[in-house]
Amino acid sequence: MLLKELAYILAVEKYGSISEAAKHLYISQPALSKYIHTLEETLDTKLLENVGRNVILTDAGQYYTQAARDMLAIYDNMSKNILRSDNMIHGSLRIGVTFSRSPMLLPEVLAKFHQEYPNVELLLSEENSYHLESGLANGIIDLVAAKGPINPLYKFASFPLFTEEFLLGLPNTHPAAVKAVYTDGAPYPWLDLRELSQECFLLLKEGHHTRFLANQLFSQNDFSPTRTIVTANTDTAMCMAAAGLGAVFVPGFFALKSQYQQSGLRYFSVGAQPLQRGFSYYVPAKCASHQI
């Protein structure tokens, strides 16, 4: 018995007409009628009865279609289990993530992946965005998790993971915190940058996307910090902010995952319009049909 034969009789049951069933099965009506006739001869029983222009199931037909549904369900379940079986999924997956995101994004996700696919070897590349994009384009990496936008010169397909707001972090005891405005439904209170006119800002070096967004905020709000300390590492900047050395700009995911959320840093929306940016995973465009 072929699986398509089970689907044929179920289609006749669904549409109540051999002609309608044939149309949806993309076969001719005579071919479907012949199949039904041959099946009834093989079983030596009638499965269908004509009622006007339509057909209905006999008692034997109802039993047959229920058995057909059960068999197709068993086959579907078997197929899914085989495809997910440890014995079927082997090989390696090469994942690229930036240094700063890696410790926050990967542990929980990869632990779950390893539990489901223990025979897949995970190879990690922790680099800056430029090297990750180049590695993905050259086939050295299979998948890159990164903030957008990505270099438009590359032919990548993207799949959104989450959107995050660009936030300002201050120590809990900072006097400007009392000036924050709380709005119903907003995840973070809003703080006017002008309240920090005398504050030291802990910024990343030029070339970092976080620094680009910080400069964008300053420009949009006609604000120029009077004092800055520049570092190449977001964790270092957050650590210094937690120690009371100044204000720090933080991607929203850091505010949720960083240890400094529990050690005295509070986070605020800033600027006339909060900056949002997306975080996605990227694969070569030719692999876009094989989503993870």
Side-chain angles (χ1 to χ4, degrees), residues 3 24 37-38 78 98 100 106 120 170 181 272 287:
L3 292 175
H24 287 84
H37 180 69
T38 302
M78 178 189 69
T98 57
S100 58
L106 293 184
V120 176
L170 291 174
V181 178
C287 303

Side-chain angles (χ1 to χ4, degrees), residues 43 58 77 102 147 151-152 179 188 208 227 269 276 281:
L43 297 173
T58 64
N77 187 55
S102 182
K147 56 186 176 293
N151 193 326
K179 304 290 184 66
Y188 299 97
H208 287 262
R227 292 178 296 140
S269 293
Q276 302 276 347
Y281 74 82

Side-chain angles (χ1 to χ4, degrees), residues 3-242:
L3 292 175
K4 70 176 182 180
E5 295 175 347
L6 301 178
Y8 285 177
I9 192 68
L10 290 175
V12 175
E13 178 195 33
K14 178 178 179 180
Y15 296 105
S17 162
I18 292 180
S19 60
E20 278 297 308
K23 184 190 304 182
H24 287 84
L25 291 169
Y26 300 102
I27 62 175
S28 68
Q29 179 178 340
L32 182 56
S33 295
K34 183 179 180 180
Y35 160 72
I36 297 294
H37 180 69
T38 302
L39 179 60
E40 288 177 330
E41 284 188 340
T42 301
L43 297 173
D44 193 24
T45 187
K46 291 288 290 183
L47 299 177
L48 303 173
E49 289 182 349
N50 293 317
V51 178
R53 295 184 178 181
N54 297 324
V55 293
I56 62 172
L57 295 171
T58 64
D59 289 343
Q62 291 178 14
Y63 180 83
Y64 186 93
T65 53
Q66 182 57 55
R69 279 190 290 272
D70 292 342
M71 285 186 282
L72 287 175
I74 291 171
Y75 179 81
D76 184 59
N77 187 55
M78 178 189 69
S79 299
K80 290 179 180 178
N81 287 334
I82 288 176
L83 289 174
R84 294 178 64 86
S85 169
D86 297 344
N87 297 323
M88 295 294 292
I89 301 180
H90 291 77
S92 60
L93 179 63
R94 301 167 297 180
I95 301 173
V97 187
T98 57
F99 293 107
S100 58
R101 297 285 179 155
S102 182
M104 299 179 185
L105 187 64
L106 293 184
E108 294 180 14
V109 173
L110 295 190
K112 183 177 180 181
F113 182 91
H114 180 69
Q115 185 177 8
E116 294 193 26
Y117 308 104
N119 292 324
V120 176
E121 182 183 14
L122 295 171
L123 304 173
L124 303 183
S125 294
E126 296 171 289
E127 302 281 353
N128 60 38
S129 297
Y130 173 80
H131 286 100
L132 291 178
E133 293 174 20
S134 176
L136 185 61
N138 294 322
I140 300 172
I141 301 173
D142 300 315
L143 175 153
V144 166
K147 56 186 176 293
I150 207 163
N151 193 326
L153 295 177
Y154 294 122
K155 296 185 181 300
F156 298 150
S158 65
F159 302 93
L161 293 173
F162 56 84
T163 300
E164 61 184 358
E165 183 180 345
F166 193 57
L167 302 170
L168 179 80
L170 291 174
N172 252 337
T173 57
H174 196 285
V178 299
K179 304 290 184 66
V181 178
Y182 292 81
T183 305
D184 290 341
Y188 299 97
W190 180 83
L191 185 63
D192 192 331
L193 274 176
R194 289 174 296 185
E195 299 292 345
L196 303 172
S197 59
Q198 302 303 314
E199 185 60 74
C200 177
F201 279 80
L202 307 165
L203 303 175
L204 295 191
K205 288 182 176 180
E206 293 286 356
H208 287 262
H209 193 67
T210 298
R211 177 60 180 272
F212 170 79
L213 291 177
N215 292 343
Q216 186 176 337
L217 267 175
F218 291 149
S219 176
Q220 288 177 351
N221 294 274
D222 195 23
F223 182 91
S224 181
T226 56
R227 292 178 296 140
T228 62
I229 297 176
V230 178
T231 177
N233 187 282
T234 301
D235 277 336
T236 300
M238 295 176 74
C239 184
M240 289 192 294

